[in-house]
Amino acid sequence: MTYHWQSRNVKTSGVDDMVLLQKISESAIVDNLKKRFMEDCIYTYIGPVLVSVNPFKQLNIYTDRHIEQYQGAAQYENPPHVYALTDNMYRNMLIEMENQCVIISGESGAGKTVAAKFIMSYIAKVSGGGTRVQHVKDVILESNPLLEAFGNAKTVRNNNSSRFGKYVEIQFSRGGEPDGGKISNFLLEKSRVVSQNPSERGFHIFYQLCAGATAQLKENLGITTPDYYYYLNQSGTYKVDGMDDVQEFQDTLRAMQVIGIPEDVQNDVLSIVAGILHLGNISFQEDGNYAGIANDDFLAFPAFLLGIDGELLRTKLTGRVMDSKWGGKSESIEMKLNKEQAEFTRDALAKAIYTRVFDYLVESVNCAMQKEREEVNIGILDIYGFEIFAKNGFEQFCINYVNEKLQQIFIELTLKAEQEEYVQEGIKWTPIDYFNNKIVCDLIESKSPPGIMCVVDDICATMHAVSEGADQKLLMKLQGAVGSHEHYQGSNTGFIIHHYAGKVSYDADGFCERNRDVLFTDLIQLMQSSQNSFIASLFPEDVSSQTKGRPTTAGSKIRTQANKLVTTLMKCTPHYIRCIKPNETKKARDWEESRVKHQVEYLGLKENIRVRRAGFAFRREFAKFIKRYNILTPETYPSWRGDPRQGITHLMNSVNMDRDQFQMGKTKVFIKNPESLFLLEEVRERKYDGFARVIQKAYRKHYAVKQYLKLREEASDILLNKKERRRYSLNRNFVGDYIGLDDSPELRALVGKRERIEFAHQVVKYDRRFKSVKRDLLLTTKNFYLIGLETVKKGPDKGKKVLVKKRELPIDAISGVSLSTMQDDFFILHIQGDYSSLLESTFKTEFLTVLTKRYKDKTGKTLQPQFSDSLEFPVKKEGWGGGGTRSVRFVRGQGDQAVLKPSSKVLTVSIGQGLPRDSRPGRKHVSNGNPRRPAPSHVPPPSGVASRRGPAPSRPAPRIPSGSAPPPPTSTPPSRSQVKRQSSTDIQQKILSRRSTSSDKTPSLPREGAQHLAKNLKQANNNNNDFLATPDAGIAGQATKLSQENRKNEILRNNQRKSKTNKPNPGGGRPRPKPNVKPKPALPQCKCLYAYDAQDTDELSFNEGDIIEIVKEDPAGWWHGKLRGKDGLFPANYVEKL
């Protein structure tokens, strides 16, 4: 692997880690991010925190090659990347066996969902596993398109905005395989089902169904163009740039199959989606003082798709049954609704159905990944971003509240808790000021004194069936409860909250009704009457029982969920991705300076850099630190029995770590820079690597001995009962290379570059006259070679002898091998359609063993040697009258050496008696021998054992699996690869085939839809886009600026304390002039009276007694001078002119 600093011509933009910025300011941070953004370097570090800028285009930095590059690598080895953070998180989980989480934060459209997808895909790639694990991986990856279809939508700020929050927990075995998971979802923005702002869309699934359904499915569900439906035509936006609704619909159907949703339920889900669209087309008209259905034709399709009675649907939409209590008695009263109430009831039913289908899909994903016992997990928080629209209602209030909570976690763990830990541990520390948004969180969620959510709940508790006037009552009560809060402003129509990310104006209209979130009993009973069992199961409430106590509101639910989420995150080791949105145009390479600077300010990146630069990159309790690094020295391994401080000091000294790179607190050791930690880790890995090599060496020796025994047994089986054996060949080791190929590159050059030589030996070849000549025999995985010397006859090298290929044959061209039954070393290689080769080799048995293996690998057939004492073979035709056949006869003689008697066409070989034909090798005769190479090249090392030629692996991260997992059993859902082979039409056809048969015929679709209603709404919409501008920072922004001023004053006070005497203010407190002069030929000098530390890059640092050359004196009190070859400004009242 080539790291980025090892590559040539690598273009660097800005700095990878903003802790290394020369000047720490919002402008410097923005400038660095811009430089990198323009060069498509969208990731930047602040220590362990990853800053990600949305590129609004596809980048080629997420390939398998990049996954291999980041797998197991330290953070500093490669450029910043989401893969580096994910790999670090994954390895930390395996090493520490502690839960990890990644908190992805940023405003809407900053790229949070995309970052979460890349994290999941990386984990799926680098973690191994079998059938169950592969199924869990499939579910994790396929849950994204499914939940995005039902939970994401286009907004003016983001084309694929998450309209719900999710926390994905990927559960792992102790070996690091993902074998379970769980998704927790938060606050689906269900109001988007029934209404959208201009230039926005509803949830993607509605448009996917309209675009991707087949003609038959459209006919069955009554699907046509989106402008036909009232719930879709209000904004006039039906398409999204860069999004193919047809392809997305196929991905959604595929995801439902992989997750394991039954086909009949898939059909029911699509029927519900279509039924909601048809439900929205039911409009009302005034009939006296009550509401009536404007067109009865629109009742048929929603009733048909939802499996309910059409007349019952009419009754429940235009009327309601109220329970009245009087004098201990109760009675039911049927009341008629007016037009506005009927529309509200219709929309409430549509939102309730959709929400319950969404919850069912999330639960289906969880069931597909369910695990009995949880061990360790990685949590990925992908939640809706902070957002401001033209009209901000209850949903935006809840979304922004959750973002306040996430910002509070970041502040608590990266700014507040870290600084408090230094103080508690007795580490020398200068506090860094920052804006703590806990004051805003308390404004919203506090119970005592009551915050905004408590006040809204109190109003909802006193509301009755009619909600008129509740919102105005809310504003009055808020003014009394939180009106004096500095982060709250009231108005006649709503209120303003000064969030950490800016001021947001909320419209109180409908606030209480949406918070109450009550579905009337009539509608529950209506859906429970559905003939479709799946739809009826979505409403399991027992409406006959009376519930006591205050009903749960939407606000209290999200508050409980948010606090529970915070508790979960606090139990994990956190990692952070801070996403930044560079523009509102959603275009690549478009950079809005003011917008990015605003995000940098409210995300607290500058304060984060200051804390990281001044603080310590790593801290660990004494006992845990010694336990991890005790292997570094014999004194500390296996355990240190003395004072832990002395043990840690001993460990640090053993790696020659500078004393200023670490400090010891009361219970923990703190390490300053990541490089110092990497030093410890590298030395530790070397120790383990050395021990691993010792173990590997012993095991490889043991394994090699087993392989030698196995090979000898195989060779013996080939010759058993067929040929006599030589006395010393029976128990010898197989080496493979008997030539010394490592020292013979000219031989290697004659074979193919990718061919592995498995046998090499110098043999004796006999021609048609039985004259002998030496040849180098090479057997590779593909070919058979005979190499010999040949004299160059022409050219500048005339007369020189060079190695040439005398014969090259593919292994599958060999038709047979013939041998005698005696102990000689002769064998004949027969070739299809060509002459044979008569060869003599001491290591014929090993050659024959390797040849039969490679022959079977190549052809799938078994090569059967022939044994006879009279062998005949064709010879090469040379000149006139050549060719024909020759014979070799073997006769019994004396001794172990063969005696040759050639005649014209017959060679007689005489040799003595050898070992019996049934001889087999024995273990006691195994010896090391004297091979030229340490191990046979054709013996593969055991899985997981490092090769001798390369270093042992230095990191514990698992390797990318080389092959796909086997298909899961038929009892589990199909795998992604199986489903991907199906087209959208095939999937829909299967769904239609499982459609439940009903006696009702599909109703006819009314010709005119709700287009006329959309026109009226478009005329009423006010396309004011002022809300897209950079928001006012508000009180939170002022608090941040105030903390920066306090920081500057603190620096000046610290510089004064460093002197032995009281020093005057630099420059008398007057502002510095701009440095702009050229040095004069003769420069006066001054002596420094006090030490001074530069506060900016254009200032000089000096010690007491230094001599500075004065370039220019300025009456403002800041002079320009030279010191140690550097130009800069310095305070005149710190020096004395010579």
Side-chain angles (χ1 to χ4, degrees):
M1 184 195 305
T2 301
Y3 298 119
H4 71 297
W5 67 79
Q6 297 171 323
S7 304
R8 296 181 180 179
N9 302 320
V10 174
K11 193 171 185 179
T12 56
S13 303
V15 295
D16 285 355
D17 193 332
M18 290 193 286
V19 172
L20 304 177
L21 283 173
Q22 289 187 344
K23 185 177 180 180
I24 304 175
S25 66
E26 276 90 0
S27 299
I29 296 170
V30 172
D31 184 56
N32 187 67
L33 292 174
K34 181 179 180 181
K35 284 179 184 177
R36 297 178 62 76
F37 174 77
M38 291 302 180
E39 297 294 337
D40 291 338
C41 300
I42 63 170
Y43 297 114
T44 311
Y45 291 131
I46 300 177
V49 177
L50 183 67
V51 179
S52 171
V53 183
N54 192 342
F56 289 110
K57 65 177 181 180
Q58 297 293 328
L59 297 178
N60 190 31
I61 58 173
Y62 305 103
T63 62
D64 288 346
R65 182 180 66 83
H66 288 91
I67 290 176
E68 292 178 3
Q69 180 179 343
Y70 284 90
Q71 185 184 0
Q75 178 177 305
Y76 67 91
E77 291 182 358
N78 293 300
H81 202 291
V82 67
Y83 287 169
L85 178 138
T86 309
D87 188 76
N88 182 44
M89 179 169 58
Y90 180 64
R91 283 190 294 137
N92 282 352
M93 179 196 70
L94 292 178
I95 293 170
E96 305 293 343
M97 292 311 293
E98 294 177 353
N99 293 342
Q100 311 283 312
C101 70
V102 56
I103 302 173
I104 311 172
S105 58
E107 63 183 49
S108 181
K112 299 182 297 300
T113 299
V114 174
K117 287 182 189 175
F118 286 132
I119 291 171
M120 288 186 238
S121 64
Y122 181 88
I123 291 173
K125 276 283 187 181
V126 302
S127 54
T131 304
R132 165 66 182 171
V133 171
Q134 188 60 44
H135 170 63
V136 171
K137 289 181 183 180
D138 290 345
V139 173
I140 290 170
L141 296 178
E142 290 297 337
S143 67
N144 287 320
L146 178 63
L147 297 184
E148 281 186 19
F150 284 84
N152 287 27
K154 176 193 178 340
T155 69
V156 291
R157 293 187 176 274
N158 185 1
N159 286 344
N160 188 32
S161 177
S162 297
R163 308 317 300 163
F164 72 107
K166 67 176 177 181
Y167 182 62
V168 182
E169 292 178 81
I170 305 176
Q171 298 165 356
F172 294 85
S173 67
R174 301 189 73 83
E177 295 89 7
D179 55 358
K182 179 184 177 183
I183 295 178
S184 304
N185 63 304
F186 309 97
L187 188 71
L188 178 71
E189 188 192 21
K190 54 188 176 184
S191 62
R192 188 165 291 272
V193 174
V194 300
S195 65
Q196 307 89 37
N197 293 324
S199 302
E200 296 189 349
R201 294 203 318 179
F203 292 107
H204 293 322
I205 185 61
F206 295 120
Y207 307 89
Q208 291 178 11
L209 183 61
C210 292
T214 60
Q216 185 180 356
L217 186 62
K218 286 182 177 180
E219 181 182 353
N220 286 356
L221 301 182
I223 294 299
T224 178
T225 56
D227 61 340
Y228 180 86
Y229 305 102
Y230 175 70
Y231 281 166
L232 302 184
N233 64 20
Q234 300 175 46
S235 65
T237 302
Y238 309 113
K239 298 286 185 182
V240 178
D241 293 338
M243 186 174 290
D244 184 352
D245 287 324
V246 175
Q247 180 60 45
E248 299 282 342
F249 185 57
Q250 180 174 350
D251 293 343
T252 302
L253 296 179
R254 181 189 302 129
M256 285 198 280
Q257 283 197 316
V258 171
I259 287 166
I261 299 175
E263 288 169 356
D264 53 344
V265 177
Q266 294 179 40
N267 177 70
D268 293 336
V269 169
L270 296 180
S271 296
I272 291 173
V273 172
I276 290 172
L277 293 179
H278 289 292
L279 190 64
N281 279 2
I282 300 174
S283 58
F284 304 92
Q285 62 185 9
E286 290 288 351
D287 187 4
N289 292 327
Y290 305 115
I293 303 296
N295 186 348
D296 289 349
D297 293 341
F298 286 106
L299 281 172
F301 239 114
F304 168 73
L305 292 173
L306 298 177
I308 54 180
D309 181 70
E311 285 303 314
L312 184 60
L313 176 62
R314 178 204 301 271
T315 302
K316 297 300 183 183
L317 292 181
T318 57
R320 186 178 306 159
V321 176
M322 300 293 296
D323 290 332
S324 176
K325 292 184 179 181
W326 184 261
K329 296 182 180 180
S330 62
E331 60 177 329
S332 297
I333 302 173
E334 293 186 8
M335 59 174 288
K336 291 288 186 179
L337 305 179
N338 59 31
K339 181 182 177 183
E340 288 75 17
Q341 291 171 334
E343 290 173 345
F344 176 83
T345 302
R346 174 201 64 195
D347 293 346
L349 178 59
K351 290 187 289 187
I353 298 172
Y354 191 88
T355 302
R356 296 184 185 218
V357 168
F358 185 79
D359 289 341
Y360 166 79
L361 295 175
V362 174
E363 186 60 30
S364 297
V365 174
N366 287 338
C367 288
M369 300 189 293
Q370 196 169 12
K371 181 181 176 183
E372 292 182 2
R373 185 169 60 90
E374 187 174 328
E375 291 170 295
V376 286
N377 67 65
I378 290 177
I380 304 168
L381 180 62
D382 173 24
I383 209 157
Y384 20 56
F386 188 91
E387 59 188 19
I388 304 174
F389 293 127
K391 182 179 179 181
N392 301 289
F394 178 75
E395 284 82 2
Q396 279 67 47
F397 171 76
C398 293
I399 287 171
N400 292 340
Y401 158 68
V402 174
N403 278 271
E404 286 282 358
K405 295 290 288 184
L406 294 183
Q407 176 70 3
Q408 188 184 6
I409 291 177
F410 184 80
I411 288 172
E412 285 284 339
L413 297 181
T414 62
L415 298 177
K416 183 173 181 289
E418 185 165 348
Q419 297 193 73
E420 289 177 352
E421 184 179 34
Y422 295 144
V423 175
Q424 292 169 2
E425 289 287 325
I427 301 296
K428 187 178 179 182
W429 180 256
T430 302
I432 294 174
D433 292 330
Y434 57 90
F435 169 66
N436 191 340
N437 72 325
K438 186 176 185 301
I439 188 173
V440 184
C441 293
D442 290 342
L443 165 67
I444 297 172
E445 67 176 2
S446 175
K447 294 183 178 180
S448 179
I452 295 174
M453 282 187 168
C454 285
V455 174
V456 177
D457 286 350
D458 286 342
I459 297 295
C460 291
T462 59
M463 285 174 61
H464 300 289
V466 181
S467 61
E468 285 83 352
D471 295 329
Q472 286 301 318
K473 186 178 178 182
L474 168 67
L475 293 178
M476 291 173 60
K477 196 163 184 179
L478 282 176
Q479 192 61 35
V482 296
S484 59
H485 198 286
E486 60 179 335
H487 288 265
Y488 176 88
Q489 286 178 243
S491 68
N492 294 330
T493 59
F495 55 90
I496 295 172
I497 295 179
H498 293 247
H499 288 284
Y500 77 100
K503 290 166 57 177
V504 182
S505 178
Y506 296 101
D507 193 333
D509 183 28
F511 223 80
C512 295
E513 192 61 59
R514 290 179 178 179
N515 180 62
R516 188 165 61 159
D517 195 32
V518 174
L519 187 64
F520 293 110
T521 304
D522 302 63
L523 300 180
I524 296 174
Q525 291 174 333
L526 171 67
M527 299 313 299
Q528 288 177 343
S529 69
S530 172
Q531 296 177 1
N532 186 307
S533 58
F534 172 72
I535 295 176
S537 68
L538 296 176
F539 295 82
E541 293 92 338
D542 183 4
V543 295
S544 61
S545 62
Q546 295 182 351
T547 58
K548 295 183 179 181
R550 180 183 292 188
T552 305
T553 61
S556 62
K557 284 179 186 176
I558 193 64
R559 181 175 59 201
T560 302
Q561 286 180 322
N563 287 315
K564 185 179 178 182
L565 175 64
V566 169
T567 303
T568 301
L569 296 175
M570 287 294 190
K571 293 178 181 178
C572 303
T573 301
H575 305 261
Y576 304 96
I577 300 179
R578 308 291 265 172
C579 296
I580 289 179
K581 187 177 183 182
N583 59 64
E584 281 294 346
T585 61
K586 308 184 191 77
K587 293 180 180 177
R589 302 183 70 81
D590 184 11
W591 186 266
E592 294 180 19
E593 195 90 8
S594 60
R595 177 169 297 281
V596 176
K597 186 175 182 181
H598 176 68
Q599 293 173 76
V600 168
E601 288 174 349
Y602 75 66
L603 289 174
L605 299 190
K606 186 176 76 170
E607 290 75 16
N608 191 201
I609 294 173
R610 287 195 184 280
V611 171
R612 177 54 52 181
R613 178 181 280 190
F616 295 82
F618 175 82
R619 74 285 321 270
R620 185 64 60 90
E621 294 174 0
F622 291 154
K624 287 186 177 180
F625 183 88
I626 293 176
K627 182 179 179 181
R628 179 157 183 80
Y629 299 107
N630 59 6
I631 197 173
L632 268 56
T633 67
E635 292 80 7
T636 54
Y637 187 81
S639 62
W640 174 260
R641 301 187 182 280
D643 181 9
R645 292 171 179 271
Q646 294 179 1
I648 292 172
T649 302
H650 176 72
L651 289 170
M652 296 301 191
N653 292 336
S654 71
V655 297
N656 298 319
M657 186 177 291
D658 294 338
R659 191 65 184 83
D660 61 353
Q661 286 299 306
F662 69 96
Q663 284 192 45
M664 277 185 275
K666 297 176 182 177
T667 62
K668 296 180 181 179
V669 58
F670 293 81
I671 296 178
K672 185 75 175 174
N673 295 319
E675 291 78 10
S676 301
L677 177 63
F678 298 148
L679 171 64
L680 284 167
E681 287 292 323
E682 185 176 349
V683 176
R684 179 177 180 270
E685 291 297 338
R686 286 179 184 172
K687 287 285 186 181
Y688 274 109
D689 184 60
F691 294 147
R693 286 175 181 274
V694 172
I695 297 171
Q696 285 178 343
K697 185 178 179 180
Y699 183 78
R700 285 168 68 90
K701 181 179 179 181
H702 166 72
Y703 181 79
V705 169
K706 287 181 64 177
Q707 288 297 116
Y708 295 154
L709 292 173
K710 182 180 178 183
L711 283 171
R712 285 202 300 270
E713 291 291 338
E714 291 175 356
S716 176
D717 290 342
I718 295 174
L719 305 179
L720 187 66
N721 295 323
K722 297 174 182 176
K723 185 175 176 67
E724 295 175 358
R725 304 299 302 275
R726 283 190 177 275
R727 190 174 306 279
Y728 298 107
S729 70
L730 199 62
N731 287 311
R732 71 170 189 83
N733 294 338
F734 286 1
V735 175
D737 178 12
Y738 298 95
I739 295 177
L741 292 172
D742 290 339
D743 300 322
S744 305
E746 66 278 6
L747 274 175
R748 284 188 173 274
L750 294 174
V751 303
K753 288 184 178 180
R754 297 183 181 274
E755 287 188 72
R756 186 174 75 251
I757 300 174
E758 300 206 347
F759 180 82
H761 180 228
Q762 192 173 74
V763 300
V764 178
K765 175 189 172 294
Y766 294 88
D767 63 10
R768 61 194 180 98
R769 295 185 180 88
F770 301 115
K771 290 183 178 179
S772 64
V773 62
K774 289 186 177 181
R775 292 282 186 262
D776 289 333
L777 185 153
L778 304 180
L779 183 63
T780 71
T781 53
K782 298 179 181 178
N783 298 310
F784 165 86
Y785 297 91
L786 285 177
I787 312 294
L789 288 172
E790 191 174 275
T791 304
V792 179
K793 297 179 179 179
K794 294 181 180 180
D797 295 330
K798 183 178 179 180
K800 183 179 179 182
K801 291 188 176 182
V802 295
L803 289 171
V804 296
K805 288 186 279 191
K806 292 291 188 178
R807 195 165 196 189
E808 178 182 0
L809 296 168
I811 288 178
D812 54 6
I814 298 173
S815 60
V817 182
S818 298
L819 302 95
S820 76
T821 62
M822 301 185 185
Q823 65 164 329
D824 61 278
D825 295 325
F826 286 86
F827 62 93
I828 300 173
L829 217 56
H830 300 282
I831 311 301
Q832 296 176 5
D834 204 349
Y835 66 93
S836 300
S837 292
L838 173 61
L839 305 172
E840 184 180 13
S841 172
T842 310
F843 305 116
K844 62 186 179 305
T845 307
E846 182 177 349
F847 168 75
L848 197 60
T849 304
V850 177
L851 178 63
T852 52
K853 282 187 176 183
R854 297 288 78 84
Y855 184 85
K856 188 165 187 178
D857 292 342
K858 193 76 173 176
T859 65
K861 301 176 182 177
T862 302
L863 183 66
Q864 295 288 356
Q866 301 298 318
F867 298 89
S868 174
D869 290 338
S870 180
L871 304 176
E872 188 175 288
F873 60 97
V875 295
K876 185 178 181 181
K877 184 176 181 181
E878 295 179 352
W880 297 98
T885 62
R886 299 291 184 269
S887 297
V888 183
R889 287 190 302 145
F890 297 87
V891 296
R892 185 71 65 193
Q894 299 294 324
D896 293 335
Q897 297 296 323
V899 179
L900 308 183
K901 293 181 180 179
S903 64
S904 60
K905 292 188 177 182
V906 178
L907 174 67
T908 302
V909 181
S910 174
I911 194 167
Q913 179 81 27
L915 294 177
R917 297 181 187 181
D918 59 353
S919 300
R920 297 187 68 89
R923 288 176 178 263
K924 63 181 180 180
H925 298 294
V926 176
S927 63
N928 289 333
N930 188 23
R932 293 176 183 236
R933 295 198 302 173
S937 61
H938 61 278
V939 180
S943 175
V945 178
S947 169
R948 289 189 181 185
R949 298 191 173 215
S954 60
R955 302 182 180 92
R959 305 177 67 87
I960 296 176
S962 58
S964 59
T970 55
S971 58
T972 61
S975 67
R976 300 175 76 209
S977 58
Q978 290 173 324
V979 177
K980 278 185 177 179
R981 291 194 289 266
Q982 302 181 37
S983 67
S984 177
T985 305
D986 294 338
I987 297 174
Q988 293 182 52
Q989 194 62 42
K990 289 179 69 177
I991 293 174
L992 284 169
S993 67
R994 298 299 299 270
R995 186 176 178 85
S996 57
T997 57
S998 174
S999 58
D1000 298 332
K1001 290 180 61 178
T1002 303
S1004 59
L1005 191 66
R1007 180 173 296 179
E1008 292 295 330
Q1011 293 92 335
H1012 63 287
L1013 298 175
K1015 293 177 182 177
N1016 296 334
L1017 281 170
K1018 288 178 191 175
Q1019 294 170 1
N1021 284 330
N1022 181 17
N1023 294 324
N1024 182 7
N1025 292 329
D1026 291 344
F1027 67 94
L1028 291 176
T1030 304
D1032 187 347
I1035 298 295
Q1038 295 174 16
T1040 303
K1041 291 178 181 178
L1042 182 62
S1043 67
Q1044 293 171 9
E1045 292 296 327
N1046 293 338
R1047 167 73 181 166
K1048 290 180 180 179
N1049 294 333
E1050 182 66 24
I1051 289 172
L1052 290 175
R1053 287 195 295 270
N1054 288 340
N1055 281 329
Q1056 292 177 6
R1057 293 192 197 105
K1058 287 181 182 179
S1059 174
K1060 296 177 182 177
T1061 60
N1062 291 330
K1063 303 182 204 173
N1065 239 358
R1070 293 185 288 275
R1072 303 176 327 189
K1074 294 181 180 178
N1076 61 346
V1077 292
K1078 295 181 180 179
K1080 296 179 181 179
L1083 298 176
Q1085 295 180 328
C1086 60
K1087 182 179 181 181
C1088 302
L1089 302 177
Y1090 318 101
Y1092 177 75
D1093 291 331
Q1095 303 303 306
D1096 215 329
T1097 54
D1098 58 350
E1099 296 180 11
L1100 293 176
S1101 295
F1102 48 83
N1103 298 317
E1104 184 179 350
D1106 284 349
I1107 304 299
I1108 300 177
E1109 293 181 315
I1110 304 172
V1111 176
K1112 182 183 178 182
E1113 299 178 21
D1114 194 285
W1118 288 91
W1119 291 359
H1120 187 195
K1122 280 186 175 182
L1123 177 64
R1124 291 186 282 272
K1126 182 180 178 183
D1127 287 1
L1129 298 173
F1130 62 96
N1133 53 348
Y1134 272 48
V1135 301
E1136 180 183 56
K1137 199 169 181 182
L1138 298 177

